Amino acid sequence: MQDEGKVRHVGLSEVTVGQLRAAEQITPIASVQNRYNIEDRKTENTLVYCEKESLGFVPWFPIGGGRGLQPENALQRVAKDHGVSVIQVALAWLLERSPVMLPIPGTASLTHLEQNVAAAKLKLTPEEWKAIATIAG
């Protein structure tokens, strides 16, 4: 399809580093879309590989759920301290995690879209970032 001009760039979804390397032997890869969020970082090694190779990393389900959104944890405390939502803090954490990170949170309203975009301006202190990083289990 690339040879026919129907596809310009190729991205992969839910791949390991080994699978990504195998695909790169066939065609250049532009990005990877894997499940990744504060609680679920099982594909951390794929993200690290994407960083080394300057490939976009698109985490699906970037907000996660469960422990990270429970009351009385670092995510909640940081959100309260900044006067923002836990979702904004979760997105800010992801954006600070890696320069190749491009979260794709879903939304059904303009208000939530604006809040999601505003998360890019939220700067966490190193202490806040580390505290949130401990949520993963």
Side-chain angles (χ1 to χ4, degrees), residues 39-124:
E39 294 181 326
D40 184 354
R41 292 180 246 161
K42 292 180 184 117
T43 61
E44 183 79 24
N45 57 347
T46 304
L47 171 57
V48 170
Y49 182 85
C50 288
E51 290 170 338
K52 288 178 188 173
E53 300 299 319
S54 298
L55 303 175
F57 187 88
V58 184
W60 65 270
F61 199 50
I63 305 305
R67 288 184 306 276
L69 300 180
Q70 302 264 335
E72 303 305 321
N73 67 26
L75 189 63
Q76 295 286 339
R77 287 188 298 276
V78 171
K80 184 178 178 183
D81 289 347
H82 286 272
V84 298
S85 73
V86 293
I87 291 170
Q88 287 173 296
V89 175
L91 290 172
W93 186 90
L94 287 170
L95 291 169
E96 284 189 38
R97 166 59 191 87
S98 174
V100 300
M101 185 83 68
L102 181 61
I104 53 170
T107 186
S109 74
L110 181 57
T111 300
H112 288 146
L113 175 62
E114 290 169 344
Q115 290 172 350
N116 291 344
V117 171
K121 295 179 183 174
L122 179 61
K123 298 300 176 204
L124 305 174

